[in-house]
Amino acid sequence: GAGVSQSPSNKVTEKGKDVELRCDPISGHTALYWYRQSLGQGLEFLIYFQGNSAPDKSGLPSDRFSAERTGGSVSTLTIQRTQQEDSAVYLCASSFLGDNSPLHFGNGTRLTVT
Amino acid sequence: KNEVEQSPQNLTAQEGEFITINCSYSVGISALHWLQQHPGGGIVSLFMLSSGKKKHGRLIATINIQEKHSSLHITASHPRDSAVYICAPRVGGGADGLTFGKGTHLIIQP
């Protein structure tokens, strides 16, 4: 079956521009996570959606970052007024409800801010 | 906060060697994930375990809950096993219950 799909796979943008990154989770997965991985670094949690609950935004690094999840499915991560330090791979993962459900990751969006 | 340490950080081995990657964490957990990340960024979940041992092909994962330690073993290693291996213990529910190690960068030379 289809896995987690992210688009675009690569995005190059100029400093100061806004970008939108999209994640299509596996159908039926109620939990959706956004992570960021900077070059040579580990995974950094950004935001978490679980069903209809209020999202856990505790990992968002600044108010330039926001995310929404429409209809409990597709999610969009928006970065406003991009900065060079935003350059990273942005990864989305989804899972079924439950602490011990396996995570399924997308291939990520590589964002480069010039 | 769960402190996660992986060792080694980098490992280069010859094809056919038996590989062990270790993961230690600081607090009690409900489960632990082992993930594989190939060059290019895609991450694949290899195992999720909460006790004992799991085996999938040439990969074996073990966990000792009392000692707060898990290992990932690769038997008869192959160049296609070259990747970053990440352990991620889960303490509880929600996103902040999941902590990621910095990964072990494995290179298998032919």
Side-chain angles (χ1 to χ4, degrees):
Chain A
V4 178
S5 176
Q6 290 188 245
S7 61
S9 54
N10 284 283
K11 176 73 177 177
V12 179
T13 190
E14 292 180 353
K15 178 181 172 182
K17 301 279 190 185
D18 298 352
V19 294
E20 282 190 355
L21 313 179
R22 178 186 168 106
C23 172
D24 274 286
I26 291 174
S27 178
H29 280 189
T30 56
L32 187 148
Y33 308 75
W34 281 100
Y35 296 97
R36 176 170 72 173
Q37 188 175 36
S38 301
L39 188 63
Q41 301 297 311
L43 288 162
E44 175 189 2
F45 164 70
L46 296 177
I47 188 168
Y48 165 65
F49 296 89
Q50 174 61 285
N52 295 322
S53 302
D56 177 353
K57 304 180 182 180
S58 59
L60 294 178
S62 78
D63 59 9
R64 297 186 295 104
F65 287 72
S66 63
E68 61 178 21
R69 188 178 184 190
T70 54
S73 181
V74 172
S75 178
T76 303
L77 176 69
T78 301
I79 309 173
Q80 296 177 308
R81 304 181 303 280
T82 52
Q83 304 293 313
Q84 286 186 329
E85 61 262 27
D86 300 334
S87 296
V89 175
Y90 289 80
L91 289 154
C92 173
S94 71
S95 73
F96 285 112
L97 180 67
D99 300 350
N100 296 336
S101 296
L103 285 174
H104 298 262
F105 282 84
N107 286 330
T109 293
R110 183 175 298 276
L111 175 66
T112 303
V113 182
T114 61
Chain B
K1 183 175 166 62
N2 198 9
E3 302 293 332
V4 182
E5 289 200 11
Q6 284 188 237
S7 62
Q9 291 184 343
N10 295 281
L11 178 58
T12 299
Q14 295 299 121
E15 183 173 356
E17 286 189 40
F18 180 80
I19 304 298
T20 296
I21 299 170
N22 296 300
C23 175
S24 297
Y25 48 91
S26 59
V27 303
I29 64 169
S30 58
L32 183 142
H33 298 260
W34 278 103
L35 309 171
Q36 180 192 56
Q37 185 172 30
H38 278 286
I43 294 179
V44 174
S45 178
L46 298 173
F47 295 103
M48 185 185 63
L49 65 166
S50 54
S51 65
K53 174 178 164 179
K54 285 191 175 180
K55 184 175 189 291
H56 182 67
R58 295 180 295 106
L59 301 177
I60 302 166
T62 63
I63 189 166
N64 185 317
I65 296 294
Q66 287 74 27
E67 294 186 3
K68 298 184 176 61
H69 181 269
S70 177
S71 293
L72 176 68
H73 305 285
I74 305 174
T75 62
S77 58
H78 190 276
R80 64 175 174 266
D81 297 326
S82 299
V84 177
Y85 293 84
I86 302 166
C87 88
R90 177 179 284 286
V91 173
D96 60 356
L98 195 62
T99 307
F100 294 89
K102 292 193 184 308
T104 294
H105 190 186
L106 175 66
I107 297 173
I108 304 297
Q109 295 178 334

